[in-house]
């Protein structure tokens, strides 16, 4: 475990019922006269933007509404939205949605102050000016994008999803109100929730793991594992929704000081070429990658085990690493996560293509505790056919 690390945080976090009202105070503190309310069609259709809309109005600011951020956006979507927003003199962005909306808002917050589009922002050192202030209000409990410095976009020419990382993209304000997640349908509750579990587990086993990460990842694993099935089976279970929201936020914090590893690396080409949603591809991969990593992570899996299975103490400790992997295979079944990629159009002849593309995600593969050979990567995909 590394003793040398850095941690980055959002500036202010508000949590709990009624915390949405903080929007008004933030607008007043910033003296913002034009506020962009950013969301997507699904979230807007559920009425989750109504409350922020009301508070923006009550604060007396002009509202610039963007209610059509595409799911899993591409660099072209970034360019299109930037062209629409660049002359609007926006002084604050309020993002209400899942990772797609929050990532787009993060990218706009730096694009507008740096006059750069996603293509340039991808280049090392391209962002020199601080971002526009931003409030992130997550409506999925998954990506942890409200806490992280990452924004992920599809680069269609390369058939690849790419994570762009810049500290200025950490949202200034976060509002965690679990009421915003109550209407999330079961399948999305499951896949986005497992994405959060991946963040917690991967950051813990990453070569960048550190004591700060350990504290938040273990707590995140505990919160998510005790509540994900409950939230999946009964979306109105508020305790479970609160656990999931806090767990995914904590797991996001881990990513600012550690990193995801091979699960996310193998997931990127699946999102890039087959457009499998981020949470789904991670969830399909998680047990299989954990299985392969086990030989290098027995100690870490032994620490993780009681946070996943509170009654595991009755079994001998030597068995705990295998039990962690079994637990994950079983959890995916209970959450109706597919164990095959064939349903998404992945064919046996795609194996080389997929493997070659994973190797490009070196940023994450290098952080994996086990150095994976091309053959091992290919074998993981093969098991999913
Ligand atoms: N920035 C990061 O740190 C980070 C980390 C992981 C993933 N991501 C990215 O985030 C995106 C995925 O985000 P996501 O998994 O949160 O899903 P999402 O934002 O793509 O949303 C998925 C769907 O759920 C709907 N939805 C969201 N909240 C809802 C609610 N409360 N009720 C009903 N419907 C709701 C949306 O309308 C959308 O159709 C991907 O592009 C992924 O690459 C970013
Ligand atoms: Fe993720």
């Amino acid at each position: 475990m590394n003793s040398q690390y850095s941690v980055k945080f959002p500036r202010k976090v508000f949590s709990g019922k009624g915390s949405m009202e903080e929007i008004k105070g933030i607008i007043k503190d910033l003296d913002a006269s034009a506020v962009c309310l950013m969301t997507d069609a699904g979230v807007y259709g559920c009425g989750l933007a109504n409350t922020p809309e009301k508070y923006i109005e009550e604060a007396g600011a002009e509202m610039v509404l963007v209610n059509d951020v595409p799911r899993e956006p591409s660099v072209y979507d970034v360019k299109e939205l930037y062209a629409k927003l660049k002359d609007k003199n926006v002084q604050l962005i309020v993002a209400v949605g899942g990772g797609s909306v929050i990532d787009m808002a993060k990218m706009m917050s730096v694009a507008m102050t740096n006059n750069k589009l996603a293509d340039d922002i991808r280049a090392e050192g391209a962002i020199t000016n601080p971002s526009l202030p931003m409030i992130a209000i997550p409506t999925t409990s998954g990506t942890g994008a409200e806490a992280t410095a990452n924004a992920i976009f599809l680069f269609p020419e390369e058939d690849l999803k790419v994570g762009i990382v810049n500290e200025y993209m950490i949202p200034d304000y976060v509002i965690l109100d679990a009421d915003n997640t109550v209407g999330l349908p079961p399948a999305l509750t499951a896949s986005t929730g497992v994405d959060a579990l991946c963040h917690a587990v991967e950051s813990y086993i990453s070569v960048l793991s550190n004591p700060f990460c350990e504290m938040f990842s273990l707590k995140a694993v505990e919160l998510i594992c005790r509540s994900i099935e409950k939230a999946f089976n009964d979306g109105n279970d508020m305790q479970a929704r609160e656990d999931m929201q806090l767990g995914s936020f904590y797991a996001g914090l881990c990513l600012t000081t550690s990193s995801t590893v091979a699960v996310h690396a193998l997931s990127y080409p699946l999102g890039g070429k087959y457009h499998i949603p981020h949470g789904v591809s991670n969830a399909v991969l998680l047990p299989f990658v954990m299985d392969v990593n086990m030989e290098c992570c027995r100690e870490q899996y032994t620490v993780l085990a009681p946070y996943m299975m509170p009654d595991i103490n009755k079994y001998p400790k030597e068995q705990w690493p295998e039990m962690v992997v079994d637990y994950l295979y079983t959890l995916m079944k209970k959450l109706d996560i597919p164990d095959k990629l064939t349903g998404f159009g992945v064919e046996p002849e795609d194996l080389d293509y997929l493997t070659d593309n994973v190797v490009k995600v070196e940023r994450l593969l290098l952080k994996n505790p086990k150095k994976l050979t091309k053959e091992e990567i290919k074998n993981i995909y093969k098991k999913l056919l």
Side-chain angles (χ1 to χ4, degrees):
M1 183 139 321
N2 300 291
S3 56
Q4 219 175 15
Y5 59 93
S6 68
V7 190
K8 295 138 220 136
F9 284 106
R11 208 150 63 79
K12 264 190 177 178
V13 179
F14 303 99
S15 175
K17 261 194 193 316
S19 49
M20 300 277 273
E21 199 169 349
E22 299 292 342
I23 295 171
K24 251 195 316 192
I26 296 168
I27 295 174
K28 291 202 167 135
D29 286 350
L30 295 171
D31 201 15
S33 54
V35 176
C36 174
L37 176 61
M38 201 176 287
T39 187
D40 66 26
V43 173
Y44 193 72
C46 295
L48 292 173
N50 295 350
T51 306
E53 209 166 335
K54 180 178 93 154
Y55 290 133
I56 293 169
E57 198 177 299
E58 284 179 14
E62 179 204 339
M63 187 179 71
V64 177
L65 178 66
V66 174
N67 61 3
D68 57 357
V69 173
R71 197 167 170 191
E72 315 250 341
S74 75
V75 273
Y76 296 120
D77 301 317
V78 170
K79 283 186 184 178
E80 204 176 298
L81 186 54
Y82 174 71
K84 277 189 202 153
L85 288 181
K86 69 179 173 25
D87 298 323
K88 302 275 189 206
N89 194 29
V90 165
Q91 287 138 33
L92 168 71
I93 304 177
V94 180
V96 186
S100 297
V101 171
I102 294 176
D103 280 3
M104 184 61 105
K106 285 156 99 167
M107 183 48 82
M108 286 303 121
S109 77
V110 287
M112 288 204 274
T113 53
N114 286 271
N115 300 318
K116 297 262 168 43
L117 300 175
D119 284 335
D120 300 317
I121 283 164
R122 194 178 171 185
E124 194 92 2
I127 298 166
T128 48
N129 301 330
S131 54
L132 279 183
M134 169 182 164
I135 309 176
I137 307 175
T139 64
T140 59
S141 292
T143 66
E146 67 277 12
T148 69
N150 309 350
I152 302 174
F153 296 99
L154 174 69
F155 283 71
E157 275 91 24
E158 297 160 54
D159 279 341
L160 199 62
K161 300 267 311 252
V162 177
I164 295 162
V165 187
N166 189 286
E167 275 180 38
Y168 286 135
M169 289 199 290
I170 298 178
D172 304 82
Y173 306 92
V174 177
I175 295 180
L176 300 176
D177 182 342
D179 281 352
N180 287 326
T181 64
V182 168
L184 192 66
L188 280 164
T189 299
S191 59
T192 58
V194 178
D195 184 28
L197 181 60
C198 290
H199 299 159
V201 169
E202 288 183 80
S203 61
Y204 180 61
I205 62 171
S206 163
V207 298
L208 295 183
S209 190
N210 60 62
F212 177 91
C213 169
E214 177 178 36
M215 182 170 76
F216 281 94
S217 67
L218 295 179
K219 188 67 194 175
V221 169
E222 181 189 333
L223 290 166
I224 295 166
C225 290
R226 81 175 180 209
S227 287
I228 191 164
E229 285 175 65
K230 290 182 189 160
F232 172 70
N233 290 319
D234 175 9
N236 291 308
D237 182 332
M238 280 321 291
Q239 185 57 56
R241 290 294 193 189
E242 280 172 22
D243 282 356
M244 290 304 295
Q245 193 173 53
L246 192 60
S248 69
F249 176 62
Y250 281 180
L253 286 179
C254 295
L255 299 185
T256 71
T257 185
S258 180
S259 69
T260 52
V261 292
V263 180
H264 271 66
L266 270 73
S267 171
Y268 276 2
L270 295 173
K273 187 167 165 66
Y274 307 93
H275 305 288
I276 305 176
H278 178 86
V280 175
S281 52
N282 283 320
V284 171
L285 286 162
L286 176 66
F288 292 88
V289 175
M290 290 289 280
D291 209 345
V292 172
N293 272 340
M294 182 157 51
E295 64 181 70
C296 292
C297 298
R298 294 193 72 84
E299 211 178 294
Q300 291 100 314
Y301 288 13
T302 306
V303 178
L304 283 168
Y307 294 90
M308 293 178 171
M309 297 164 276
D311 59 354
I312 200 169
N313 275 313
K314 57 187 180 222
Y315 299 97
K317 250 190 177 167
E318 309 78 70
Q319 294 176 14
W320 290 10
E322 281 77 9
M323 289 177 74
V324 162
V325 173
D326 285 347
Y327 166 85
L328 291 171
Y329 279 120
T330 309
L331 180 63
M332 297 314 133
K333 278 206 177 74
K334 287 185 186 160
L335 296 174
D336 288 343
I337 301 289
D339 59 0
K340 291 276 173 278
L341 289 171
T342 31
F344 299 99
V346 183
E347 304 289 343
E349 53 271 25
D350 299 337
L351 282 174
D352 286 325
Y353 169 86
L354 282 170
T355 311
D356 289 345
N357 270 281
V358 177
V359 178
K360 290 187 201 158
V361 196
E362 215 185 15
R363 178 175 75 86
L364 302 182
L365 276 183
L366 288 174
K367 320 269 171 54
N368 197 58
K370 176 177 157 69
K371 186 159 175 23
L372 294 174
T373 62
K374 267 182 126 178
E375 213 41 47
E376 283 166 327
I377 292 172
K378 197 171 170 176
N379 273 334
I380 296 173
Y381 286 130
K382 215 181 208 169
K383 283 187 197 146
L384 289 163
L385 293 177

